[in-house]
Amino acid sequence: MAFVIALGVLVSGSGSNLQAIVDAAQAGTIDARVAVVVSNVAGAKAVERSRAAGIRTQVIDHRGYADRRAFDAAVVEVLRECGVDLVVLAGFMRVVSDVLLGAFPWRVVNIHPALLPAFPGLHGQKQAVDAGVRIAGCTVHFVDSGMDTGPIIAQAAVPVLPDDDEESLGARILEQEHMLFPSVLQWFAEGRVEVIPSAGDGMRPRVCVHGASTAFGLRQLG
Ligand code: GRF
């Protein structure tokens, strides 16, 4: 039996993933509610979307803070105030510090437009086109202190077509993102997501999602 989890969604840009999450929550297809949206960019389209949906929306401009940790402390204060269970990075263009990660241990997730660990960092879609890979996709993962290095929760694959450029491939990936992210959030609501700690044998922590398939896409090749 799922309970309704309170999400704190952090954004910087267009907010199409935020929209997919809000739509799923409003439609009742996920047992989640967006308790607050925090943007570090005042003019982001995501802010407009959030306000239009009647969600508490907080702009916290990182430029007003001495460093990442001070900025994160301000973000954590808002997230705590709003009773957030899970922090969702949806196009949030800031590297987070131990202040946020320590406040929400194993409770910060991100979506990245590439099949990690390939193509971390900026422009994952362009990196895929430039590398000539035939399969690209997106990854939802826990956030750790590295750049897109945290334990992987789920991935969706798409084909890379011969004429693809960053934009056309990006659009195909984004379509998958909008399905993958809400699905993963529902697994959190259902308590299916378990982190298996490292056994100290050099292995990193891994994620087990009980009773769910965590690989999507490319069924046409099957
Ligand atoms: C997405 O491609 C996501 O994978 C990446 O940033 C982009 C955000 O898009 N982290 P949007 O703001 O959700 O439209």
Side-chain angles (χ1 to χ4, degrees), residues 11-18 46 49 89-93 110-114 125 138 173-174 177-178:
V11 295
S12 305
S14 121
S16 69
N17 277 288
L18 166 68
R49 293 182 194 264
L89 309 191
F92 183 60
M93 301 305 285
N110 179 48
I111 189 153
H112 181 74
Q125 308 92 329
C138 52
I173 293 171
L174 203 54
E177 292 186 34
H178 297 163

Side-chain angles (χ1 to χ4, degrees), residues 6-8 33-38 56-58 75-85 104:
L7 308 176
R33 66 184 178 87
V34 180
V36 63
V37 169
V38 177
R56 177 172 168 178
T57 308
Q58 194 94 27
V75 173
V76 165
E77 198 180 318
V78 171
L79 297 172
R80 284 209 167 120
E81 207 177 287
C82 296
V84 164
D85 300 307
F104 291 92

